[in-house]
Amino acid sequence: AQSVTQPDIHITVSEGASLELRCNYSYGATPYLFWYVQSPGQGLQLLLKYFSGDTLVQGIKGFEAEFKRSQSSFNLRKPSVHWSDAAEYFCAVGAGNYGQNFVFGPGTRLSVLP
Amino acid sequence: NAGVTQTPKFQVLKTGQSMTLQCAQDMNHNSMYWYRQDPGMGLRLIYYSASEGTTDKGEVPNGYNVSRLNKREFSLRLESAAPSQTSVYFCASSPDGGTGELFFGEGSRLTVL
């Protein structure tokens, strides 16, 4: 079975600074990989996904993520953080591309300083 | 443009009481899901329904039942609530073709005293 770790429970960055959120997974084959964002009081929204092909994927809101098979990682990046990016971010790994096959990580809470 | 709608948004129960969480989606999706979210544990799948008339257990089904009433609606029932079921519950749906995108409701916060 697959598993996901997000080593950072809480990260604080200043507005305008760059951001990298870490995600490591365990899965025996090439996984389906996702990043979701949850704004306060809201449900989760898909930021980006990787199925195959180019290992650098672009998502919404200026986010990107890079799949590194050798490191079993799928880290999320943004070059310049905005105050509205304050939220909780979840990495998910899937054995298939339907929800019943997903495992979500514990989440990383991002705070943004003005 | 409702997407996925959950009711109620907040509920407080006493141990042993029962309740049903309602979920409806207007995107014509076949697949629907119920997750629970607990601090430090991410989302865990309770039950899912791949199509109208079918339901299957997820990772943490004990203490819950579900009904896929029709293509739009998927309800979650707690027959005898326990404090361990205090959580935030999310309903989600996904389109056919396996795009991997889940569309979530805004969540239902349940407290069991």
Side-chain angles (χ1 to χ4, degrees), chain A residues 34 36 38 41-46 49 51 88 90 97-100 102-107, chain B residues 31 33 35 37 40-43 45 48 90 94-102 104-106:
Chain A
F34 309 86
Y36 282 82
Q38 183 182 28
Q42 302 296 313
L44 281 71
Q45 180 186 20
L46 181 68
K49 60 187 178 187
F51 285 178
E88 188 144 21
F90 293 92
N97 54 358
Y98 281 96
Q100 59 266 35
F102 294 177
V103 172
F104 285 85
Chain B
S31 298
Y33 312 86
Y35 291 90
Q37 182 182 33
M41 301 189 73
L43 275 72
L45 183 64
Y48 68 96
F90 286 97
S94 64
D96 294 343
T99 65
E101 181 165 7
L102 295 171
F104 285 85
E106 294 186 348

Side-chain angles (χ1 to χ4, degrees), chain B residues 7-28:
Chain B
T7 56
K9 289 190 170 15
F10 300 95
Q11 184 73 49
V12 179
L13 293 177
K14 295 180 179 178
T15 297
Q17 289 185 318
S18 62
M19 76 158 299
T20 299
L21 299 175
Q22 307 285 355
C23 175
Q25 52 90 10
D26 61 2
M27 296 173 283
N28 202 36

